[in-house]
Amino acid sequence: MRITALAGGVGGARFLRGLRTHLDATPDLADSELTIIGNTGDDISLFGLRVCPDLDTLLYTLGGGIHEGQGWGRADESHRVQGELAAYGATPQWFALGDLDIGTHIARSQWLAQGLSLSEATTRLAQRWGLPDQRVTVLPMSDSPVETHVVVEDADGQRAVHFQEWWVRMQASLPAQRFVAVGMDRATAAPGVLDAIRHADVVLLPPSNPVVSIGIILGVPGVRDALRGTAAPVVGVSPIIGGMPVRGHADACLAAIGVECTAGAVAGLYEDFLDGWLVSQEDAASVRLPRAQVRGRPLLMTDRAAAAQIAGAALDLALETKRG
Ligand code: GDP
Ligand code: CA
């Protein structure tokens, strides 16, 4: 079976690792191919290096190198380089860059400087993490740089800051007025992205941030049309449980686009292509969708086994659902 997923960072990666675990434990599904279309709107250039936080979270999580407690960054990490940068007064200092992680960014930046596309650089990084052996392909949504910026307002008036500055430095404390995907007007989908949706047997939306992860990928020209047009059932998992994001600031992101922070309202963002929506059991009674099947399940990815169960439930829902 060919499964294609759209994903941000931590929520997407934990779900997809669970999906791979579920597939590997199911004899009929073990040879399934998983293609992940990763959000690159979080990407940022720091100290001359290209940093792709969501792609790296996917690679580290699926490749077994992730810091489990944090959900991002490398396990057994040190921060000697960052300490040295701080001693020189080099900025910014609010974005955590571990030494091992910096190795990833140096390798990627060098390949990009040599003329490789982001897709090609990502393929090389994925080899090191053993993803081809797991039948997992990670594709950036686009090879052209797209950066999510956030328009905020304070006493000095309105200004736009990079998404990472808003998310990491400000902890989303200034209300976002709106998000701007800088570079999207010139962006095209990376090679393989649209075909991975069109030719999939199943398309899954992990519980990634609906605005700044999935929402950004949906803005890549052709992606939304491919989701509407594919013969594959499209099934998503709610990142919102009982009116709250499980982690992160999805509530602040939804507020900025005028959408209620509920499982049902998030499904509304996908209503033109969504066939099935997995929600938390407590939300199941209150979510009614005109053209998607709703199913309630425990949705907390407390460990790998829980994530595998959730992924299995999403896949089951997809396999029972016809496109309608
Ligand atoms: P990010 O790029 O690292 O922010 O990660 P994603 O965009 O992929 O995922 C972030 C979303 O995952 C947040 O909105 C969380 O609410 C959601 N999330 C995190 N952990 C869980 C979980 O255990 N269950 C569910 N249902 N959602 C989760
Ligand atoms: Ca992200």
Side-chain angles (χ1 to χ4, degrees):
M1 186 158 43
R2 287 161 302 180
I3 304 174
T4 296
L6 276 49
V10 180
R14 287 187 171 161
F15 174 85
L16 292 165
R17 182 175 61 179
L19 178 63
R20 193 64 260 181
T21 304
H22 171 76
L23 295 170
D24 292 342
T26 312
D28 290 352
L29 299 174
D31 63 355
S32 297
E33 299 282 338
L34 175 56
T35 303
I36 303 169
I37 300 167
N39 171 43
T40 58
D42 289 21
D43 295 7
I44 186 166
S45 293
L46 296 170
F47 308 107
L49 302 175
R50 193 66 180 157
V51 180
C52 302
D54 285 358
L55 295 182
D56 291 344
T57 297
L58 290 162
L59 298 178
Y60 298 160
T61 304
L62 285 150
I66 198 77
H67 185 302
E68 291 290 345
Q70 264 170 198
W72 52 270
R74 294 284 304 274
D76 304 317
E77 184 60 290
S78 53
H79 292 83
R80 299 192 66 195
V81 173
Q82 191 152 33
E84 202 60 14
L85 291 168
Y88 284 118
T91 55
Q93 285 164 17
W94 46 260
F95 194 87
L97 286 175
D99 299 332
L100 300 175
D101 196 31
I102 287 173
T104 307
H105 310 321
I106 293 175
R108 172 170 40 230
S109 302
Q110 186 186 21
W111 292 327
L112 293 174
Q114 289 168 349
L116 267 67
S117 66
L118 181 59
S119 305
E120 290 165 337
T122 304
T123 299
R124 288 201 185 175
L125 296 172
Q127 267 156 9
R128 182 258 155 103
W129 291 107
L131 267 53
D133 300 335
Q134 299 186 46
R135 298 185 191 79
V136 174
T137 304
V138 175
L139 303 175
M141 64 187 197
S142 176
D143 280 338
S144 354
V146 173
E147 287 188 359
T148 305
H149 287 205
V150 188
V151 178
V152 292
E153 191 167 3
D154 57 15
D156 301 333
Q158 274 203 351
R159 68 202 154 97
V161 297
H162 190 286
F163 169 74
Q164 297 296 357
E165 185 171 356
W166 181 69
W167 187 268
V168 178
R169 188 174 78 79
M170 301 178 179
Q171 294 284 308
S173 58
L174 276 184
Q177 311 288 317
R178 61 201 159 84
F179 297 98
V180 183
V182 177
M184 193 65 99
D185 50 339
R186 295 180 301 278
T188 52
V193 163
L194 300 181
D195 279 347
I197 297 171
R198 292 183 188 125
H199 302 146
D201 298 307
V202 168
V203 177
L204 296 178
L205 305 183
S208 285
N209 187 306
V211 184
V212 294
S213 294
I214 306 279
I216 297 294
I217 303 173
L218 293 177
V220 175
V223 166
R224 200 164 193 124
D225 280 343
L227 287 163
R228 287 196 197 112
T230 182
V234 181
V235 167
V237 179
S238 177
I240 305 299
I241 298 182
M244 300 277 288
V246 180
R247 58 182 280 164
H249 316 294
D251 46 349
C253 299
L254 287 164
I257 63 165
V259 172
E260 235 189 312
C261 185
T262 62
V266 170
L269 294 169
Y270 310 142
E271 88 185 324
D272 50 327
F273 57 78
L274 193 69
D275 302 299
W277 189 231
L278 206 61
V279 301
S280 178
Q281 282 162 312
E282 65 194 278
D283 293 323
S286 61
V287 180
R288 289 276 168 279
L289 302 175
R291 60 165 294 274
Q293 282 226 39
V294 178
R295 184 170 292 172
R297 283 284 180 279
L299 282 197
L300 277 180
M301 298 186 284
T302 43
D303 56 22
R304 274 174 198 238
Q309 286 221 330
I310 294 165
L315 192 58
D316 287 347
L317 180 55
L319 296 176
E320 290 165 33
T321 306
K322 289 265 179 304
R323 286 230 84 176

